[in-house]
Amino acid sequence: IERAISAVQASDFARQGSRPIGRDERLGGFDVQPVVDRLSRVTERPSLAYRAFLYQDDDPNAAALADGRVYLSTGMLAYLAGRGSRADELACILSHELAHTVAQHLVKRYRMLQQQQLLMALVAAGAAAATRDAGTGAQQAGQLALDAASLVRDIANSGYSQEQELEADQLGIRYVIRAGFDPRTALDLLQDFTRFEHP
């Protein structure tokens, strides 16, 4: 499931010109991959191959895929560089994204929606059998159960729930502290991010 969802998301980033960030490459005053490595070692999934990527987008954004790929927009690097290129701030951004991967938020959402689809398929089959139209009910059940590709696409394009965002915040701060970065920078960033909110 992680690979399937990640493949869909990675293709979307590829359309935005994503590329791997070199291990010794310095961008916007940051050694990005070493920060990712330092954070990943203190997560609950340290053996996952976390790899940093850069993609073209003027908006300050970041994301981590279920398979450990971590994406930073050119806008995010420019934003952080404009704030002084502090590694602690980059760590706060990256740790939040890594937390989504560690907590398997997209995989959990996939499984929940898959269970809902299966339940709907069973209800449809039961209703069809009760009305003696079992052939139609079986077709509907099969269609719902086999529509995994569409479900993967929906999950890959969906956002996280408020509960998942809160969990990522909590885990992210834990990783920042464990890795020896300053967690107080997270509050500064959150306060400054409010200016990017759209009314």
Side-chain angles (χ1 to χ4, degrees), residues 2-22 27 32-33 35-37 39 49-78 80 89-101 106 156 160 193:
E2 287 181 335
R3 284 194 297 269
I5 294 171
S6 296
V8 171
Q9 290 179 306
S11 67
D12 291 340
F13 281 115
R15 283 192 286 278
Q16 292 181 271
S18 67
R19 67 166 182 85
I21 297 173
L27 291 171
V32 179
Q33 187 60 48
V35 173
V36 170
D37 293 341
L39 288 166
Y50 296 93
R51 189 76 174 89
F53 288 77
L54 181 70
Y55 70 100
Q56 299 297 317
D57 186 351
D58 290 338
D59 288 332
N61 287 311
L65 307 193
D67 67 358
R69 285 179 270 192
V70 185
Y71 289 82
L72 284 170
S73 70
T74 50
M76 178 61 82
L77 283 178
L80 292 174
E89 290 189 343
L90 177 63
C92 286
I93 299 293
L94 293 172
S95 66
H96 175 90
E97 300 305 329
L98 290 181
H100 283 302
T101 297
L106 290 178
Y160 296 110
F193 277 161

Side-chain angles (χ1 to χ4, degrees), residues 1 106-122 144-149 151-152 155:
I1 295 170
L106 290 178
V107 173
K108 288 175 182 172
R109 185 164 167 75
Y110 175 89
R111 289 188 178 131
M112 181 190 72
L113 292 180
Q114 190 179 43
Q115 288 170 352
Q116 289 175 352
Q117 276 194 340
L118 181 58
L119 182 59
M120 288 174 15
L122 292 173
L144 285 169
L146 294 174
D147 204 9
L151 187 58
V152 164
I155 296 300

Side-chain angles (χ1 to χ4, degrees), residues 103-177:
Q104 297 183 303
H105 284 155
L106 290 178
V107 173
K108 288 175 182 172
R109 185 164 167 75
Y110 175 89
R111 289 188 178 131
M112 181 190 72
L113 292 180
Q114 190 179 43
Q115 288 170 352
Q116 289 175 352
Q117 276 194 340
L118 181 58
L119 182 59
M120 288 174 15
L122 292 173
V123 168
T131 61
R132 305 241 188 265
D133 191 9
T136 304
Q139 287 177 350
Q140 290 173 341
Q143 180 60 39
L144 285 169
L146 294 174
D147 204 9
S150 175
L151 187 58
V152 164
R153 167 62 69 181
D154 290 346
I155 296 300
N157 292 329
S158 70
Y160 296 110
S161 69
Q162 212 170 7
E163 182 181 342
Q164 289 175 329
E165 289 292 354
L166 180 60
E167 183 180 20
D169 286 341
Q170 293 169 340
L171 287 172
I173 291 298
R174 181 186 306 169
Y175 302 152
V176 164
I177 293 169

